[in-house]
Amino acid sequence: MPREGAGPDFIEALARGLDVIAAFRPGVPAMSLTDVAAATGLARPTARRILLTLTELGYVRAEDRGFVLTPKVLALGVAYVRSMGLWEVARPHLERLVAGTNESCSIAQLDGSDIVYAARVAVPKLVTLAVQIGTRFPALPTSLGKVLLAALSPEELEHTLAEPSRSGLVPCWQPDRAERDAELREVRARGWALTDQQLAPGIRSIAAPLRDGAGRVIAAVNVNCHAAETPTDVLVQRHLPLLLRTAGDISADFARLETVPQLNVRTAS
């Protein structure tokens, strides 16, 4: 059955294929045909054909315990990051920020009510949550998410937070609307965000916005640490100035990148 609200140019088969890929959630590496059909709402024959097609294309692999995604799926996300040019711009700045703070630093963007990590330079330390490119967390209890949510209009904010999280993590901080709005007003006023074990115990971080040439917030960058090792005072007094400088440098470089003409050169075959 066609999706409600889909236009005449909507390709239902493509949408169903993406739904099958998205059905593989954190903590569920392998899924049976029945699992996939139930998670996507597809009939078993349809789910089977899609899984076999994805297997033929190399995005899914069949195993004794069911179907699993292959590393080729990462190419879909990497293509997005590369198309943004964000990683190429941010990498040297993130590396300098890590060297200056001796803490892990990341860049994330909004995807519904979640943040998704788009770039990261990590320091080997004891942490309570594993983070890598593509990891998603509920946006509101993270410093990265607070920065991104604070940049939305009131209507955009309500629409965004109405979407259910796909991270599978239940955060420690569960604010009511008044507390949420007060927190985001403070982030807007000071231009950066702090979280202290609101996502999970032991996680403390600060974040600042990254902007494009028009001044729009397109992502956020953070410094992340373990609460038992790095006091809040160190984060705010020592690391925050470095973070704000890094955010400004990345934003400036990204704005300059936008002004460079992009040439597509085709070679004769």
Side-chain angles (χ1 to χ4, degrees):
M1 177 183 297
R3 300 176 190 230
E4 183 178 351
D9 296 324
F10 187 84
I11 303 176
E12 185 70 28
L14 175 59
R16 289 175 175 176
L18 294 174
D19 285 344
V20 167
I21 291 176
F24 292 82
R25 301 296 178 85
V28 189
M31 298 181 71
S32 67
L33 173 58
T34 300
D35 293 335
V36 171
T40 58
L42 297 172
R44 280 174 55 92
T46 301
R48 177 179 177 275
R49 289 196 301 271
I50 292 173
L51 285 166
L52 293 178
T53 300
L54 292 172
T55 300
E56 187 71 22
L57 294 173
Y59 292 106
V60 169
R61 182 175 64 251
E63 294 186 349
D64 292 339
R65 53 188 179 144
F67 294 91
V68 298
L69 295 180
T70 72
K72 188 175 180 180
V73 172
L74 294 174
L76 301 174
V78 171
Y80 168 69
V81 174
R82 286 176 176 170
S83 70
M84 288 288 291
L86 194 54
W87 172 234
E88 288 81 1
V89 170
R91 185 200 325 243
H93 298 291
L94 279 184
E95 290 173 346
R96 283 194 290 271
L97 182 58
V98 168
T101 62
N102 195 33
E103 303 286 1
S104 298
C105 301
S106 305
I107 290 175
Q109 295 179 292
L110 271 180
D111 181 22
S113 62
D114 294 334
I115 58 165
V116 178
Y117 285 78
R120 180 170 172 82
V121 178
V123 173
K125 285 193 174 186
L126 174 67
V127 293
T128 56
L129 291 176
V131 177
Q132 57 189 354
I133 305 296
T135 294
R136 62 173 58 237
F137 292 132
L140 189 57
T142 69
S143 61
L144 292 161
K146 288 180 184 179
V147 166
L148 297 168
L149 293 172
L152 301 179
S153 69
E155 294 77 16
E156 290 172 329
L157 177 64
E158 296 304 327
H159 178 75
T160 296
L161 292 181
E163 296 188 34
S165 171
R166 292 190 283 140
S167 72
L169 177 71
V170 178
C172 296
W173 188 48
Q174 301 281 347
D176 58 26
R177 181 168 179 171
E179 186 180 3
R180 177 203 76 186
D181 290 347
E183 178 75 11
L184 295 181
R185 279 197 301 271
E186 185 174 356
V187 173
R188 292 188 198 100
R190 66 189 181 189
W192 54 274
L194 167 73
T195 55
D196 189 1
Q197 305 184 79
Q198 292 176 322
L199 177 66
I203 301 297
R204 180 177 286 157
S205 69
I206 49 175
L210 299 178
R211 302 178 185 273
D212 63 11
R216 294 182 293 262
V217 175
I218 58 170
V221 57
N222 82 343
V223 175
N224 181 82
C225 66
H226 197 287
E229 296 181 348
T230 307
T232 303
D233 288 348
V234 171
L235 263 184
V236 174
Q237 296 174 15
R238 186 182 306 170
H239 297 341
L240 179 60
L242 298 175
L243 172 68
L244 295 176
R245 185 183 313 146
T246 298
D249 290 343
I250 294 174
S251 297
D253 280 358
F254 191 74
R256 283 190 286 269
L257 179 67
E258 289 181 308
T259 65
V260 176
Q262 300 297 315
L263 299 179
N264 293 320
V265 180
R266 295 185 179 180
T267 58
S269 57

